[in-house]
Amino acid sequence: MTLIQLQKLKKEGKKITCLTAYDASFAQLLDEAGIDILLVGDSLGMVIQGHDNTLPVTVDDMIYHCQQVHRGCQQALLMVDMPFMSYATPNLALESATRLMRSGQAQMVKLEGGAWLVESVLILTERGIPVCAHLGLTPQSIHQLGGYRVQGKTQWGAERIRDDAVALQTAGASLLILECVPCKLAEEISALLDIPVIGIGAGVECDGQVLVLYDMLGITPGKRPSFTKDFLQETGSIQAAIEVFIKAVKEGTFPGHEHTFE
Ligand code: KIV
């Protein structure tokens, strides 16, 4: 899978599938099932390392897991999260992203944040590092946001996310993840942007969907977020759960109303 192919999927109105992976075995299962994008998410801080949030995750942690996922990945695009504070300045972003691409073998990096990232996105993309932006609920800002809650519900909040999305696309981002925003806003941004928009808790009208693997297998400790679905419960095997997720996203039957914020 390449950026050009992802762009083509958007143009043709075909949905894009993405799941997180943290090791070679799951990466291989997902890859063989035909997932389009594998995301080595910094959610590993919570689901693998057992932290309360993603803040303790380091670039070294991400490289370690990215190397494992790379070994199991043949066809999917391999995207990696840049962890908390690893892109606090444009130069730091270049240094961290270079390590994630060179040692981790990632094909794309993901950064959480709005227009303040424009300079970093320019620096990375001008040097050949593809960037995915991440807007809406940005878990690395959990303390500033005051909790895991839906973003963009007010007119001001929605306008800010929309403006940030345009600014990041203009700076060179090739993909956008929108997390926990009202479905109408996500639909509007997906139609506005040329680049594919991948939603999580953002409704069915995005160009694709992503979930944390452990959420969709129902093994995340604690309460499962309302926008996720336990595909393992209804299928009985990990392989079938992954296949049903991919089919449901491609056919536009996931997410349903019950996984969507109005
Ligand atoms: O870290 C992660 O798994 C993510 C997804 C929730 C999009 O960023």
Side-chain angles (χ1 to χ4, degrees):
M1 183 56 65
T2 64
L3 290 179
I4 291 171
Q5 286 171 304
L6 290 177
Q7 193 65 54
K8 189 162 171 269
L9 288 175
K10 167 154 182 149
K11 272 226 170 78
E12 292 171 352
K14 294 185 181 156
K15 299 282 186 189
I16 296 165
T17 56
C18 176
L19 283 170
T20 63
Y22 314 104
D23 65 60
S25 301
F26 270 119
Q28 193 173 329
L29 262 185
L30 294 164
D31 196 72
E32 284 172 356
I35 200 85
D36 295 318
I37 305 171
L38 284 177
L39 167 62
V40 185
D42 62 353
S43 49
L44 69 84
M46 299 167 83
V47 300
I48 302 282
Q49 297 175 337
H51 295 295
D52 287 341
N53 54 52
T54 59
L55 274 58
V57 179
T58 64
V59 173
D60 284 340
D61 292 336
M62 297 310 294
I63 289 173
Y64 174 71
H65 287 280
C66 201
Q67 286 171 338
Q68 297 177 17
V69 171
H70 176 255
R71 289 183 203 119
C73 175
Q74 296 287 322
Q75 64 83 30
L77 186 88
L78 178 51
M79 171 156 78
V80 66
D81 256 327
M82 298 192 67
F84 181 60
M85 284 301 147
S86 68
Y87 52 100
T89 64
N91 282 343
L92 192 52
L94 184 58
E95 193 184 309
S96 307
T98 303
R99 292 189 60 213
L100 288 161
M101 303 278 289
R102 191 176 271 157
S103 305
Q105 312 238 44
Q107 294 170 303
M108 177 173 222
V109 297
K110 177 163 84 63
L111 289 77
E112 295 180 10
W116 69 272
L117 283 173
V118 159
E119 200 185 332
S120 297
V121 174
L122 276 169
I123 285 187
L124 295 181
T125 53
E126 281 170 350
R127 285 157 183 76
I129 299 178
V131 170
C132 173
H134 182 155
L135 292 170
L137 171 55
T138 47
Q140 290 172 19
S141 308
I142 186 64
H143 297 307
Q144 195 158 30
L145 296 175
Y148 295 99
R149 54 183 73 200
V150 183
Q151 303 296 308
K153 288 205 311 193
T154 62
Q155 193 185 336
W156 177 83
E159 265 167 31
R160 184 161 170 197
I161 293 175
R162 205 181 300 116
D163 292 349
D164 283 348
V166 172
L168 291 164
Q169 170 178 272
T170 306
S174 338
L175 210 58
L176 170 67
I177 286 190
L178 267 185
E179 180 165 354
C180 287
V181 299
C183 55
K184 280 266 168 294
L185 176 64
E187 181 177 359
E188 200 186 314
I189 293 175
S190 304
L192 180 67
L193 297 193
D194 296 322
I195 60 173
V197 176
I198 313 293
I200 171 164
V204 75
E205 297 302 334
C206 296
D207 303 307
Q209 300 292 329
V210 57
L211 283 181
V212 170
L213 179 68
Y214 284 28
D215 286 344
M216 64 80 78
L217 295 178
I219 54 175
T220 305
K223 193 169 169 276
R224 188 166 43 81
S226 65
F227 55 82
T228 69
K229 179 176 168 183
D230 181 350
F231 285 83
L232 183 58
Q233 199 173 33
E234 73 176 49
T235 53
S237 88
I238 291 175
Q239 203 163 350
I242 294 165
E243 284 166 6
V244 170
F245 167 79
I246 292 174
K247 189 163 181 281
V249 172
K250 293 279 180 200
E251 290 176 353
T253 55
F254 178 82
H257 266 308
E258 67 278 30
H259 314 113
T260 299
F261 303 109
E262 294 299 330

